[in-house]
Amino acid sequence: MAGVRSRTLRALALALLAFPAVAQAVDRPLPRLVRKEGRYALLVDGAPFLILGAQINNSSAWPAVMPQVWPAIKYLGANTVEMPVYWEQFEPQPGDFDYSVVDALVAQCRKNDVRLILLWFATWKNGSPHYVPLWMKQDPARFPRMVGANGRAVDSASPFSRDTLEADKRAFVALMRHLKKTDPQHTVIMVQVENEAGTWGAVRDFSAPAQKAFDSPVPAEVLSAMSVRPRGANAGWKQAFGKDADEYFHAWAVARYVGEVAAAGKAEYPLPLYANAALRDPLSPGPAGSYESGGPTDNVLPIWKAAAPAIDVLAPDIYMDDHAKVERILELYRRPDNALLVPEISNAPQYARYFFLALGHETIGFAPFGIDYTRYVNFPLGAKKLDEEALAPFAMNYRLVAPMMRELAQLGFDGKVRGVAEKNGTPAQALELGAWKVTVTYGVPQFGFGNNPPGNADPIGRALVAQLADNQFLVAGFHCRVDFQSASRQREYVRVEEGTYESGAFKVVRIWNGDQTDWGLNFTSTPQILRVTVGTY
Ligand code: DGJ
């Protein structure tokens, strides 16, 4: 019996050796999103994974450009790259798919040992249909744009065109089917469906089919998603939503469309899918129309959830350098029904500190935008010049966190991580973790009490505290001091170990004591991880 079993195992091992793709597929489960008590983890290779991401520029996902991409990605230390797939390239003739570019991108990512998130630039790219294939552009009657309230064409595809939707679906299905066949090792871990879907410059579609839908009763799932109980059966959009009717209608139309594309692709290959949002100002949004209408902005997230259930995550693209706004965005997109993911954030250096704030909000990933050396910069949204100096604050983050990315993802999933970013004019911040209060101060000297902290000259400080046990924490940061207080008694640093994670175990490099702990735990620009045991006396 034992002999039979060992022969079978040997045969299996030989088969796996002969077919490495099979071996990897057997070893590597499909990436998936899991939820526990309203918190999320992205499982990659079966364990929580933190996306230390980078998105390349819009026109950089071509094999010829890769030599300008990899040095920036390497310097940054990203573990995941976000790269577009262009519909115009992917389907040059109707039904004729060209997989060569996507295959090259996947191969390049494998070679460079990073994971890949593909961005499906199709019906909507920043609200417009600029990436649809030429044969569609040449047939505007069949693939129409939207009509605005004034009767003029709007530079956004009509979400009521069945032909456009069927074409997008067919191409997306082809992409997902191809990935399933060619990527058993799951280099591709997620796919973004469209890019900032919605419409600039018009609140909704006023074409005849759109108007017909607008004049029909609001679907029950939209009413219930928005917790509206209409007066009378068959409530219309105006009756149900008043001044928000046009915007909510458009959100429903776009979400339903994107949801149908996503569902068709997912039926082929169930990778986690997300849709990204061009945000509205979270504190003073202004009227619809001053921001992109129809996309997953914070006010219509429930409509998107109801109309596009195949989209796993609704994700904010952050280009607002205001601490209060960024914090509010993170709060709005971290919901019991939505994992927080920051798939784009400005690459201007001052945004690097928000990585820590996002970790404190249990993000599953973070990706500065425009990371390559093609010399294109989206200033003033991003850095004026993209070089190592500009990337350094982001690279520091990733170098610090990379060795413990799995542990951190698990701790976030368990609700044990807190993170802060310095705020202009607020030189001290407080965190609560179990029985401990943790204060983070900025601009104090490393030696001495540091009363009345002045803050850093620029708000570049950030800190991370994760609870390992009642009295044990991981602590890291840049340009700040972290200190612990107990409510009842005086605090003692029982043991402060500097170290790093290797294969899941914390390896101590040295113990901090004396000047290094007498005034609190002081962090400079050097990546340092501390395992801190606190006590009281
Ligand atoms: C957000 C979009 O999603 C990106 O593709 C890019 O256009 C940036 N805005 C601006 O550079």
Side-chain angles (χ1 to χ4, degrees), residues 55 58 121 125-126 195-196 276 317 319 344 369 376 378 381:
Q55 184 166 150
N58 289 164
F121 280 17
K125 160 66 175 82
N126 297 17
N195 189 84
E196 295 191 346
N276 61 333
D317 291 348
Y319 295 89
E344 274 183 52
F369 176 83
Y376 183 86
N378 66 357
L381 280 188

Coordinates of all heavy atoms in Angstrom, one line a residue, residues 55 58 121 125-126 195-196 276 317 319 344 369 376 378 381, ligand 1:
Q55 N 1.5 52.8 -11.0 CA 0.9 52.8 -12.3 C 1.7 53.5 -13.3 O 2.2 54.6 -13.0 CB -0.5 53.4 -12.2 CG -1.3 53.3 -13.5 CD -2.8 53.6 -13.5 OE1 -3.3 54.1 -14.4 NE2 -3.4 53.3 -12.4
N58 N -0.2 56.6 -19.2 CA -1.2 56.1 -20.1 C -0.7 55.4 -21.4 O -1.2 54.4 -21.8 CB -2.2 57.2 -20.5 CG -3.1 57.7 -19.4 OD1 -3.7 58.7 -19.5 ND2 -3.2 56.9 -18.3
F121 N -8.8 49.8 -20.7 CA -9.1 51.1 -21.3 C -10.0 50.8 -22.5 O -9.6 50.5 -23.6 CB -7.8 51.8 -21.8 CG -7.0 52.5 -20.7 CD1 -7.2 52.2 -19.3 CD2 -6.1 53.4 -21.0 CE1 -6.4 52.8 -18.4 CE2 -5.3 54.1 -20.1 CZ -5.5 53.8 -18.7
K125 N -12.4 56.0 -20.8 CA -11.1 56.3 -20.3 C -11.2 57.8 -19.9 O -11.4 58.7 -20.8 CB -10.0 56.1 -21.3 CG -8.7 56.8 -21.1 CD -8.0 56.4 -19.8 CE -6.7 57.0 -19.6 NZ -6.7 58.4 -19.0
N126 N -11.2 58.1 -18.6 CA -11.5 59.4 -18.1 C -12.8 60.0 -18.7 O -12.8 61.1 -19.1 CB -10.3 60.4 -18.4 CG -9.0 60.0 -17.7 OD1 -8.9 58.8 -17.3 ND2 -8.1 60.9 -17.6
N195 N -11.8 52.9 -17.2 CA -10.9 53.8 -16.4 C -11.7 55.1 -16.2 O -12.0 55.8 -17.1 CB -9.6 54.1 -17.1 CG -8.7 54.9 -16.2 OD1 -7.9 54.3 -15.4 ND2 -8.7 56.2 -16.3
E196 N -12.0 55.3 -14.9 CA -12.8 56.5 -14.5 C -14.0 56.6 -15.4 O -14.2 57.6 -16.2 CB -11.9 57.8 -14.5 CG -10.8 57.7 -13.4 CD -10.1 59.0 -13.2 OE1 -10.2 59.9 -14.0 OE2 -9.4 59.1 -12.1
N276 N -12.4 52.3 -10.9 CA -11.8 53.5 -10.2 C -12.7 54.7 -10.5 O -13.4 54.8 -11.5 CB -10.4 53.7 -10.7 CG -10.2 53.9 -12.2 OD1 -11.0 53.5 -13.0 ND2 -9.2 54.6 -12.5
D317 N -9.3 57.4 -7.0 CA -8.0 58.0 -7.5 C -7.8 59.3 -6.8 O -8.6 60.2 -7.0 CB -8.2 58.2 -9.1 CG -8.3 56.9 -9.8 OD1 -8.0 55.8 -9.3 OD2 -8.6 57.0 -11.0
Y319 N -6.1 62.7 -6.1 CA -5.3 63.9 -6.6 C -5.7 65.1 -5.8 O -6.1 66.1 -6.4 CB -5.4 64.1 -8.1 CG -4.9 62.9 -8.9 CD1 -5.7 61.8 -9.2 CD2 -3.6 62.9 -9.3 CE1 -5.2 60.8 -10.0 CE2 -3.1 61.8 -10.1 CZ -3.9 60.8 -10.4 OH -3.5 59.7 -11.2
E344 N -4.7 54.7 -7.7 CA -4.0 55.9 -8.3 C -3.9 56.9 -7.2 O -4.9 57.2 -6.5 CB -4.7 56.5 -9.4 CG -4.5 55.9 -10.8 CD -5.3 56.7 -11.9 OE1 -5.1 57.9 -11.9 OE2 -6.0 56.0 -12.6
F369 N 0.8 57.2 -9.4 CA 0.6 57.2 -10.9 C 1.7 57.8 -11.6 O 2.4 58.7 -11.2 CB -0.7 58.0 -11.2 CG -1.0 58.2 -12.7 CD1 -1.6 57.1 -13.3 CD2 -0.5 59.3 -13.4 CE1 -1.9 57.2 -14.7 CE2 -0.8 59.3 -14.7 CZ -1.4 58.3 -15.4
Y376 N 7.3 62.0 -19.5 CA 6.0 62.7 -19.4 C 5.7 62.9 -18.0 O 5.8 62.0 -17.2 CB 4.9 61.8 -20.1 CG 3.6 62.6 -20.1 CD1 3.3 63.5 -21.1 CD2 2.7 62.5 -19.0 CE1 2.1 64.3 -21.0 CE2 1.6 63.3 -18.9 CZ 1.3 64.1 -20.0 OH 0.1 64.9 -19.9
N378 N 2.6 64.6 -15.3 CA 1.2 65.3 -15.3 C 1.2 66.4 -14.3 O 0.1 66.6 -13.7 CB 0.1 64.2 -15.1 CG 0.2 63.6 -13.7 OD1 1.1 63.9 -12.9 ND2 -0.7 62.7 -13.4
L381 N -0.8 68.1 -11.4 CA -1.3 67.0 -10.6 C -0.3 66.2 -9.9 O -0.4 65.7 -8.7 CB -2.1 66.0 -11.4 CG -3.5 66.4 -11.9 CD1 -4.2 65.2 -12.5 CD2 -4.4 66.8 -10.7
Ligands
DGJ1 C1 -6.6 59.8 -13.7 C2 -6.6 58.8 -14.8 O1 -7.2 57.6 -14.3 C3 -5.3 58.5 -15.3 O2 -5.4 57.6 -16.4 C4 -4.6 59.8 -15.8 O3 -5.3 60.3 -16.9 C5 -4.6 60.8 -14.6 N1 -5.9 61.0 -14.1 C6 -4.0 62.1 -15.0 O4 -2.7 62.0 -15.4

